[in-house]
Each structure stands twice: as C-alpha cells, then as structure tokens.
Amino acid sequence: MKMDLVKEIKRLKKEKNAVILAHYYQVGEIQDIADYVGDSLGLSQKAAETDADIIVFAGVHFMAETAKILNPSKTVVLPDLKAGCSLADSCPPDAFEKFTKAHPDHVVITYVNCSAEIKALSDIVCTSSNALKIVNSVPKDTPIIFAPDKNLGRYIINETGRDMLLWDGSCIVHEAFSMDKLIALHKKYPDYKIIAHPESETHILNTATYIGSTSGMINYVKEHQDQKFIVATEAGILHKMQQEMPNTELVPAPAKEDNTCACSECHFMKMNTLQKLYDCLLNESPQIDVDPSIIDRALLPIERMLELSK
C-alpha cells in the first residue's frame, strides 16, 4: 500500500504541478518523497522561489503560513491542519502587541517559529540558521525585542553580547531533554560528542561540542564523519543524517518522559503521514489561508530576512 501511495503522490504531483517541501523533523517516508527537505530558512527560500502551482508543506502550521505569505496567489496545503507548534502557541498576538507597544524604541526580531500575526508585528524575522547574522545587522545602540524563544534568545545574547528583551516562550520538545539521562548516556558513550540545537535549555547547550540549526548540525556531522554523536534536537533529524552519513554512529539525546523511542519527538510534526499527504494533494485541502492585510505586513520582515541571508 505504501508503494502505491508513493506512486500516486508522484503522479498527482506531476499532474498538478505541485512541489512537496518537508522539514527534517517529518517521518522518514515523507522526507524520502519530498522535492526538498530542509530547516526553516531553507524551506522559506525554496517557497519563495518555487514555480509550482501547489505547495504541499509537510511541516507545521506556521511554516505553511510562511509559504502562503511568500506565495499569496498559490495554493498551499498542509497534510494535517492540527499540526501546530508549542513555541508559536506561547506567543499570543494580543499579548505580544501590548508588549511591543510598551517598548516602542525597540527593533522587533521574531524567530520564524511564530504565527503570521506575530510576523506582522515584527521588523525582521530570523531562523536559527541566521539569527546571529540578523541580530548583528541591527546597530549596536538600537535596543532589540527578541521573541518568542527565550532559549534561542539567551544563546544569541551569549554569542553576541547584545542586551535583548526576551519574550518568555519556549519549545516543549527542546525543553524535554533530561540532563540526568544525558549525563548517564554520555557515561555509556564517553567518546560521543554532544551536538545541540540553540532552542535547547542553557544547561544542555553547555554540554555541547557544537550548537547550531538543524541544517548546521547535519553539516557539522558531515564534516566530522569519523566522530560519533549524541544529537540533542528533534529525533527526526537522524533520518537524513543517517542517509547522508551511513557509517557515522548517532544516538538521540534522551527525553525526560519515557516514550516509544526514549528520545525527543514533536508530536505535531509527526501528525503528518503519507496517507494525509496523498489526501491533501488529491483534494487540494486543507488549504492555508492568511488574511491579505496580515500578508502585506508579514511579508516585509520575511523578505528582509531572505535578503540578509543571501
């Protein structure tokens, strides 16, 4: 049945001039059928340049929204409309608008993991791949609000020395790593290097040999294939890492809660399935709609990010 689904998805994709964009945290079979697999920056760049009529976004809601903002005239579909994001949910637009209005002299930089409404309240958007570059592009005497991820914000402050005002938001997946279990795992595998995503809490980052975005982590492992790694980010990244570096030994960092893989997984990312991907391409539904007035305001900060990321 799965092979039939793959065949049918490929047929529909060609018939409808569709493109499938997938995040590294998607299940392996979706990554394998996608036209492009990447992190938030790469996906935004691909969405901005595609000539497809339909964008099938295998990721979470805010990512598909970003693709729609960049392509208001195209059809953008998400396999499961309930695939949300705990980090995006931690920053309600009404509360954030009050927060920004209370600090009108601040440049507002928002991490791409937020809603279209939050992007519309921003001066510039960033991803974990380009956050340091974006922050450093702001004059040093200009105060900055950074939202919604406080852990990424603290990491940027530590790296740049900038005094930023942080919104109190976080990702439940990247805060789920257990320090005690990580220490125990490292004792079991003492020659394994820890690499971590900057959304992780500071005490996890302090253990890491390398800190970077999902694409940054993949590139780091690619450059050090003779080493062994404990990987502290959503476990879906291991699929692409293992495909590209089949002989490199990788272990996912352990989560506080015991689950089927004993690693940290985003249940929102895993809501998308091959069957749902086929259904949404067949029916061209569920579609992502963003209010035109929000698109107009949210497009500028995204375009500023893309321009600075060239």
Side-chain angles (χ1 to χ4, degrees), residues 32 67 97 118 152 175 186 194 203 216 239 242 257 290 295:
D32 291 343
E97 186 170 17
I118 297 298
L152 178 58
E175 287 204 329
H186 199 252
I194 297 170
H203 58 269
H239 179 75
Q242 213 71 80
E257 298 297 324
V290 182
I295 286 179

Side-chain angles (χ1 to χ4, degrees), residues 10-22:
K10 287 180 177 177
R11 179 185 66 79
L12 284 170
K13 192 176 69 168
K14 189 175 179 181
E15 187 182 292
K16 297 186 178 219
N17 187 30
V19 65
I20 300 171
L21 305 180

Side-chain angles (χ1 to χ4, degrees), residues 178-306:
S178 166
M179 193 64 188
D180 291 342
K181 289 182 182 178
L182 184 60
I183 291 168
L185 187 67
H186 199 252
K187 282 180 180 175
K188 185 178 177 182
Y189 301 107
D191 53 342
Y192 281 53
K193 302 284 177 61
I194 297 170
I195 57 174
H197 193 281
E199 283 183 52
S200 304
E201 292 179 298
T202 304
H203 58 269
I204 297 293
L205 297 183
N206 288 341
T207 69
T209 299
Y210 173 80
I211 300 166
S213 66
T214 42
S215 61
M217 294 169 83
I218 289 172
N219 289 333
Y220 185 81
V221 172
K222 200 177 289 183
E223 290 163 8
H224 302 83
Q225 293 186 43
D226 56 329
Q227 296 180 17
K228 302 170 185 178
F229 297 97
I230 294 170
V231 183
T233 191
E234 209 276 353
I237 195 176
L238 269 70
H239 179 75
K240 185 58 69 176
M241 279 185 173
Q242 213 71 80
Q243 274 186 339
E244 295 194 14
M245 288 76 72
N247 299 316
T248 301
E249 293 186 40
L250 305 167
V251 177
K256 292 169 188 167
E257 298 297 324
D258 290 326
N259 54 40
T260 52
C261 73
C263 57
S264 204
E265 287 198 321
C266 174
H267 76 279
F268 290 120
M269 284 283 187
K270 301 303 190 274
M271 289 175 79
N272 297 319
T273 64
L274 209 57
Q275 180 67 53
K276 289 176 184 177
L277 195 154
Y278 166 76
D279 291 342
C280 84
L281 186 50
L282 176 69
N283 302 316
E284 298 180 24
S285 157
Q287 291 191 20
I288 298 296
D289 292 310
V290 182
D291 187 283
S293 66
I294 290 174
I295 286 179
D296 289 344
R297 288 183 293 140
L299 182 59
L300 186 59
I302 294 170
E303 286 181 333
R304 283 175 180 155
M305 171 190 77
L306 293 174

Side-chain angles (χ1 to χ4, degrees), residues 96-121:
F96 188 65
E97 186 170 17
K98 287 177 185 173
F99 184 68
T100 58
K101 283 182 175 176
H103 304 92
D105 56 332
H106 286 58
V107 167
V108 180
I109 300 177
T110 52
Y111 187 32
V112 71
N113 298 35
C114 63
S115 67
E117 291 87 351
I118 297 298
K119 290 180 177 73
L121 294 167

